[in-house]
Amino acid sequence: PLIESTDGRGQFLKPKETKDQELPYTLQKTQSPLLRFKFLFNAGSSNDYESKEGVAALTASMITDGSSSSMSTEEISRALLPMAGSFESQVDKEMTVFTGVVHKEQIGKFLEIVLPQLVSPGFKEPDFERLKNQQENRLLQDLRANNEEELAKEELQNNIFTGTAYGHTILGTLSGIEKITIEDIKTFALKHYSLKNLHLGFAGDFSKEIITEINIQLNKLPLGKKIQQPKVTGRKIKGLEVQIIEKD
C-alpha cells in the first residue's frame, strides 16, 4: 500500500513485481488550486541508440507534442486551450520528466486528454516528420547559430565526455536525428517509459481520488525493467587546453 507521512510527503516504496500496483509517489500538499504533477523516467540522452543520437528527446516530444490513439494533435491543442493547461517534457542525460499543470477545476477533463498521450500514444507519421524537423532546427539554428553561450557550454561538455554516453548534446546530432525512424521511437518508449523506471510527484491541492485515477491510468504502461545507466568518466585534461569554435 501507499504510505503518506504526516508532513504530507509520500514515502517511496519498492514497487511490486506485478502490474496493477499502487505506485509510490511524493506529494507536496498545499492549498494551491493550481495542480502540478511530474512523471520522471530514469532514461535520457545517455540511452540514445548508437548513431541515432537524439532519439530520447524526439520520443519525449512525440508524447507531449504529438497525438494520442484517440485524439489528433489539433484536437488536443483545441481542447487544452480553454482550460489553460499544459503538458510538457524535459529531457536530460539520465532522465525524462513529463510535467502537467492545470487548475483543479479542470483536472478531470485534463487527465482524459493528456494521460492517453503517454499510455496510449498515437505515434503518427505526420507528427514524427514535423517534430523531427523541429529538433533539427533547434540544433542547427537555435543552438548553433543563435545561442553562442549555450553552444560553448555544450561543446565543452561534449569535449570532456567524448567517446561516452554523455558525449553529445541532448538534442542529438544532425546525422543521428536523420537516421531515427518512427519504429525507433516506438521501441524507445516501450522499453524506457515503464513502471520500473517511473517516479511520481504531485504538488497542490490534490485529492486522493485524483491520485488514484492517475495511478489506474499509469498502470497501462508496461512493467518493464529498471534501466541501468552506463558508467561515464570524463576525460582528464592536462595543462591548458583551448578549443576554438568557428562559425559562419
Side-chain angles (χ1 to χ4, degrees):
L2 291 172
I3 297 178
E4 196 165 288
S5 55
T6 55
D7 64 355
R9 295 175 180 269
Q11 297 178 5
F12 280 99
L13 304 180
K14 184 178 180 180
K16 295 186 294 185
E17 294 299 317
T18 58
K19 286 287 296 295
D20 299 326
Q21 56 187 300
E22 292 187 77
L23 303 173
Y25 65 90
T26 296
L27 171 64
Q28 292 184 334
K29 183 75 171 178
T30 72
Q31 296 303 310
S32 173
L34 197 62
L35 303 185
R36 182 184 305 269
F37 60 79
K38 290 183 178 289
F39 306 149
L40 186 155
F41 293 95
N42 295 320
S45 63
S46 62
N47 303 106
D48 283 344
Y49 301 145
E50 186 176 356
S51 79
K52 294 185 178 182
E53 299 87 358
V55 67
L58 187 53
T59 304
S61 295
M62 286 287 289
I63 298 296
T64 55
D65 300 317
S67 61
S68 65
S69 59
S70 57
M71 297 179 70
S72 68
T73 307
E74 293 76 15
E75 290 172 334
I76 292 172
S77 297
R78 286 197 298 268
L80 291 180
L81 185 61
M83 62 180 74
S86 65
F87 187 48
E88 300 175 342
S89 61
Q90 182 178 1
V91 181
D92 211 318
K93 297 293 187 183
E94 296 185 1
M95 67 180 68
T96 297
V97 181
F98 297 101
T99 302
V101 183
V102 75
H103 193 280
K104 69 176 183 179
E105 292 182 357
Q106 303 288 342
I107 187 65
K109 296 178 181 178
F110 182 72
L111 294 177
E112 290 177 1
I113 297 168
V114 303
L115 287 183
Q117 289 181 267
L118 176 61
V119 302
S120 182
F123 289 144
K124 303 291 179 60
E125 192 70 36
D127 290 332
F128 174 71
E129 293 299 333
R130 171 177 57 86
L131 294 170
K132 186 175 181 178
N133 289 333
Q134 284 184 10
Q135 188 160 318
E136 289 176 337
N137 288 333
R138 287 173 61 197
L139 182 62
L140 186 61
Q141 298 298 327
D142 296 349
L143 180 60
R144 289 190 182 181
N146 300 328
N147 196 336
E148 293 185 351
E149 181 180 355
E150 193 64 28
L151 175 63
K153 290 189 291 185
E154 288 287 348
E155 189 58 28
L156 174 62
Q157 187 164 238
N158 292 349
N159 188 325
I160 293 173
F161 292 106
T162 183
T164 74
Y166 277 20
H168 62 275
T169 182
I170 293 165
L171 288 173
T173 62
L174 288 178
S175 61
I177 296 172
E178 182 62 32
K179 294 175 184 176
I180 298 172
T181 68
I182 197 166
E183 291 304 318
D184 294 324
I185 299 297
K186 294 177 181 178
T187 303
F188 190 93
L190 183 64
K191 179 180 179 180
H192 298 91
Y193 299 164
S194 66
L195 297 182
K196 287 285 188 178
N197 291 314
L198 175 62
H199 299 282
L200 300 178
F202 302 97
D205 191 18
F206 270 94
S207 66
K208 288 281 190 179
E209 292 74 18
I210 292 298
I211 293 178
T212 299
E213 177 59 28
I214 293 175
N215 181 94
I216 292 172
Q217 295 301 318
L218 290 179
N219 264 280
K220 296 178 181 179
L221 291 170
L223 182 61
K225 296 181 180 179
K226 189 172 182 179
I227 300 298
Q228 298 296 324
Q229 292 295 339
K231 185 177 180 180
V232 175
T233 302
R235 182 174 63 88
K236 294 183 178 180
I237 299 173
K238 295 181 180 180
L240 180 63
E241 190 174 302
V242 178
Q243 180 180 9
I244 306 297
I245 303 174
E246 184 177 354
K247 297 179 58 176
D248 293 337

